[in-house]
Amino acid sequence: MKTALVLEGGGLRGVFSAGVIDCFLDNDISFDYVIGVSAGACNAMAMLGRQKRYFWSIINTVSGRNSFYGVSQMVDSHRFVNLDKIFYEYTEQFHFDFETLLKSSTELEMVVSNIETGKAEYMTTRDLDRLRLIGKASCSLPIITDPVEIDGQLYLDGGITDSIPIEHVLEKDVDRIVVVLTRKKGNYSHTNEATKAIVRRIYSEYPNLIQAMYDRGDLYKREVGICEKLEEEGKVTLIRPTMKEIGRLESDENEISLSYFHGYTKAKENIETIKKWV
């Protein structure tokens, strides 16, 4: 039986998924194929690297000027979100096991958004430098971070064009899929009018990207609907929060911790089913 794991993004909401991943690792669970979007790409890397409590360590250690986001750290980075800290500084500081990740037999893909075409691309590599670059691109939030160049092309956050890549995963001919969402049932992603106005101004040279951001809400609803239908059919196990979601750039450390432990608990509720699958 071929199994897949899909990890949605959502900025700091990804700590919910980090709790899920740690529960999987504590139960020695692995998958044949893992795909991550934005913050989900970070969690996918932790899964393949078998990095127990990796993001929990960051959450409880990094703050203020050492954080990767927020006003305090802007003194050094001059930007509100500094992704280099995540993919370069923290991996050294917290001794990320890239060797285990790169040797893993699990197929790994990360979703990025091509700003020229406005389409999702699904990238994979076993080269460390390229891996970091793809991960950074997948997490590059529009408006507040710069696009990342890969092979001469510019990319932004994968969540713009494919937040829950369930249709792409179905093309992989897998038997069972675990989908980890970071929004409660009935909560959907959307782009409000104020954001649309900013997007039109900043990305005026990229009409396909603008259209993708406009269409994001409808695409998200469709993808959630597919996941829920497959859950009814027994092909998908959905793990998502049932308590109040934290913000994409949450600053309350207690709320962040609660979200992490909530993810661990929700994974534990499904662990016996997932063990049978894998």
Side-chain angles (χ1 to χ4, degrees):
M1 185 176 291
K2 187 175 180 180
T3 56
L5 174 64
V6 181
L7 297 164
E8 184 190 0
L12 265 293
R13 290 202 308 271
V15 300
F16 172 84
S17 303
V20 173
I21 293 300
D22 282 346
C23 182
F24 288 168
L25 294 176
D26 283 344
N27 286 273
D28 198 28
I29 286 174
S30 60
F31 297 84
D32 299 299
Y33 168 82
V34 176
I35 186 167
V37 185
S38 193
C42 297
N43 284 310
M45 289 170 61
M47 182 74 187
L48 269 68
R50 314 304 289 179
Q51 297 292 118
K52 291 185 181 181
R53 312 295 182 271
Y54 179 73
F55 286 105
W56 179 242
S57 298
I58 293 175
I59 292 165
N60 283 275
T61 305
V62 177
S63 62
R65 288 181 65 169
N66 292 321
S67 177
F68 72 93
Y69 73 104
V71 175
S72 298
Q73 60 84 38
M74 290 181 70
V75 174
D76 301 313
S77 71
H78 307 294
R79 63 191 72 176
F80 191 76
V81 175
N82 183 1
L83 294 175
D84 286 339
K85 282 185 177 285
I86 295 177
F87 291 97
Y88 297 93
E89 292 186 29
Y90 293 166
T91 54
E92 297 297 327
Q93 181 179 348
F94 296 96
H95 309 293
F96 191 96
D97 187 357
F98 279 112
E99 183 177 1
T100 295
L101 188 162
L102 296 172
K103 289 182 177 179
S104 173
S105 61
T106 298
E107 181 183 356
L108 169 65
E109 286 190 317
M110 293 181 278
V111 185
V112 295
S113 297
N114 185 313
I115 72 172
E116 290 278 359
T117 65
K119 301 293 184 181
E121 295 183 17
Y122 310 91
M123 293 189 171
T124 185
T125 185
R126 293 293 166 161
D127 175 79
L128 177 54
D129 291 337
R130 189 174 178 85
L131 180 75
R132 283 172 155 154
L133 203 59
I134 294 171
K136 183 179 175 182
S138 187
C139 293
S140 292
L141 296 170
I143 301 173
I144 61 175
T145 61
D146 296 327
V148 174
E149 183 177 342
I150 302 175
D151 300 332
Q153 178 60 57
L154 295 177
Y155 295 93
L156 280 171
D157 192 313
I160 298 171
T161 52
D162 201 355
S163 295
I164 312 167
I166 185 66
E167 291 172 294
H168 176 74
V169 175
L170 291 173
E171 295 175 358
K172 295 288 182 177
D173 193 31
V174 296
D175 300 291
R176 295 289 186 272
I177 308 167
V178 176
V179 180
V180 182
L181 304 182
T182 60
R183 292 181 182 273
K184 291 172 61 177
K185 184 178 176 65
N187 285 7
Y188 299 106
S189 172
H190 69 282
T191 304
N192 59 41
E193 292 304 318
T195 302
K196 287 181 179 180
I198 297 171
V199 165
R200 286 195 298 270
R201 185 171 68 251
I202 294 178
Y203 302 111
S204 58
E205 297 179 13
Y206 305 104
N208 292 325
L209 180 70
I210 293 172
Q211 190 61 53
M213 295 185 74
Y214 286 4
D215 295 341
R216 186 175 178 229
D218 292 337
L219 175 61
Y220 189 87
K221 285 183 181 179
R222 189 180 87 226
E223 290 177 333
V224 170
I226 293 170
C227 290
E228 291 175 343
K229 183 175 184 296
L230 290 172
E231 183 182 36
E232 292 174 0
E233 296 171 358
K235 188 170 184 177
V236 160
T237 291
L238 268 179
I239 300 176
R240 54 185 169 186
T242 53
M243 61 181 284
K244 180 183 176 182
E245 303 158 12
I246 63 173
R248 181 180 290 272
L249 292 172
E250 182 65 58
S251 59
D252 189 317
E253 294 180 5
N254 289 330
E255 292 296 322
I256 293 171
S257 295
L258 283 173
S259 181
Y260 168 85
F261 285 112
H262 185 47
Y264 194 101
T265 300
K266 299 305 290 185
K268 197 170 183 179
E269 290 174 2
N270 293 276
I271 207 69
E272 294 305 318
T273 296
I274 296 170
K275 280 181 178 180
K276 291 176 183 178
W277 285 3
V278 301

